[in-house]
Amino acid sequence: MLIARSIADLRQALASYRHPTFVPTMGNLHDGHIALVRQAKPLGDVTVASIFVNRLQFLPHEDFDSYPRTWEADCAQLQAAGCDVLFAPREADLYPQPQTFKVHPDAALADMLEGHFRPGFFTGVSTVVMKLFACVLGQTGGTAVFGKKDYQQLMVIRHMVQQFALPIEVVAGETCRAADGLALSSRNGYLSLEERQEAVALSQALKQLAQQWLNAAPNDRSAVEPRALDALRARGWAPDYLTVRRRADLLPATAADAAGSLVALGAARLGSTRLIDNLEF
Ligand code: PAF
């Protein structure tokens, strides 16, 4: 695996390829990331992953400084998964000057859910992904693989690619889960042993939310989300949202929306760790 530290080195490494496939990450890789790399591999003629902890998508009180950086282990895992090129720019390479040009996604999509609780998050994500796309796929176009675990992020990126007519195909990867059902996430590493046992309650809450939404008469559906929030609070969580949305636009589901077109999304804090998950149904 070739490691490119600068944009110039990356472009040189990719010069002879026609269709790169790209998996952007912030490192601290787990099996979910590695599954995305394996999924990416047959989709092009060179597989590229990036590791870059993007300051622009963290709020001042969030975990940018403490975000786990596990370089050696990440490289070993990528190498084993058959990644060909790792792009790991230093901050001064990707942001040599303050990044004053930014990509501001449509507020209708980006200011709700995650964007409501983490203002500016999707501007930070869109801006860095646009820049990473320019570095990795700018010469050829190609394919980019994003996990469904970050459901709204995937949607924002899809819209960005479509609106800017980028020559990039966005492919979604399924969420990887631990044996008990907890969605794999770099932030799971913050959980204490006790919290780790409790953490599966978020995915269970989403399953129950989906089931109760389907079982409820249309007039009773407004009570389903508050009940789910209360149940999680009673277990000691501080939920930001647990909600049933339409997959197409992430707007609240209505009586007209049928099973098969919906997604239950949740974000909640357990101790000091904020976890997110979702379930299509
Ligand atoms: O999902 C992530 O890890 C990040 O948001 C991404 C897409 C790598 C941008 O920094």
Side-chain angles (χ1 to χ4, degrees):
M1 181 174 74
L2 192 144
I3 297 174
R5 281 295 197 167
S6 69
I7 298 174
D9 285 353
L10 174 75
R11 293 211 165 119
Q12 202 182 356
L14 295 180
S16 59
Y17 295 101
R18 296 170 54 161
H19 192 113
T21 50
F22 177 39
V23 181
T25 82
M26 297 205 300
N28 191 230
L29 304 181
H30 50 66
D31 287 353
H33 296 111
I34 297 308
L36 299 181
V37 173
R38 292 194 199 282
Q39 186 176 351
K41 250 197 110 51
L43 304 179
D45 57 359
V46 59
T47 307
V48 186
S50 65
I51 294 181
F52 182 71
V53 185
N54 172 39
R55 189 184 290 277
L56 295 187
Q57 68 191 72
F58 289 80
L59 286 168
H61 66 272
E62 290 183 338
D63 53 346
F64 174 77
D65 288 324
S66 58
Y67 197 84
R69 283 141 172 107
T70 49
W71 174 251
E72 302 287 337
D74 290 351
C75 287
Q77 287 187 78
L78 287 171
Q79 172 108 42
C83 177
D84 301 305
V85 177
L86 168 58
F87 180 43
R90 283 168 290 250
E91 208 169 16
D93 287 304
L94 210 59
Y95 298 135
Q97 298 116 21
Q99 184 70 28
T100 48
F101 278 65
K102 294 192 176 150
V103 180
H104 291 283
D106 183 357
L109 175 60
D111 286 1
M112 63 165 123
L113 304 170
E114 282 305 282
H116 177 76
F117 289 94
R118 305 181 70 189
F121 173 69
F122 288 116
T123 296
V125 168
S126 304
T127 302
V128 78
V129 171
M130 181 65 111
K131 199 153 186 177
L132 291 168
F133 279 173
C135 297
V136 178
L137 304 173
Q139 302 173 109
T140 49
T143 299
V145 186
F146 287 82
K148 279 194 190 178
K149 158 89 175 9
D150 296 295
Y151 203 86
Q152 193 179 2
Q153 167 173 284
L154 169 64
M155 208 149 158
V156 167
I157 300 299
R158 280 195 193 286
H159 279 226
M160 181 178 86
V161 163
Q162 193 186 23
Q163 289 237 327
F164 287 108
L166 303 179
I168 295 169
E169 190 191 352
V170 176
V171 171
E174 293 303 324
T175 301
C176 281
R177 295 182 183 278
D180 66 350
L182 173 68
L184 298 191
S185 160
S186 299
R187 290 191 169 98
N188 292 351
Y190 296 148
L191 300 169
S192 68
L193 273 178
E194 202 182 321
E195 286 170 343
R196 171 60 191 85
Q197 286 186 335
E198 171 60 22
V200 66
L202 179 59
S203 65
Q204 288 168 347
L206 291 172
K207 267 189 210 153
Q208 280 162 14
L209 175 63
Q211 202 52 55
Q212 288 180 7
W213 199 92
L214 292 173
N215 292 345
N219 284 345
D220 297 334
R221 285 193 175 136
S222 59
V224 170
E225 288 180 10
R227 239 190 347 250
L229 289 165
D230 285 346
L232 209 53
R233 276 190 202 108
R235 302 181 65 103
W237 292 68
D240 283 344
Y241 57 86
L242 284 174
T243 183
V244 175
R245 298 293 172 110
R246 305 166 1 163
R247 285 187 215 175
D249 51 17
L250 295 188
L251 289 176
T254 67
D257 295 310
S261 68
L262 299 170
V263 56
L265 300 127
R269 211 171 287 277
L270 182 59
S272 56
T273 307
R274 187 173 182 279
L275 300 177
I276 67 171
D277 198 358
N278 64 79
L279 176 73
E280 290 182 318
F281 69 102

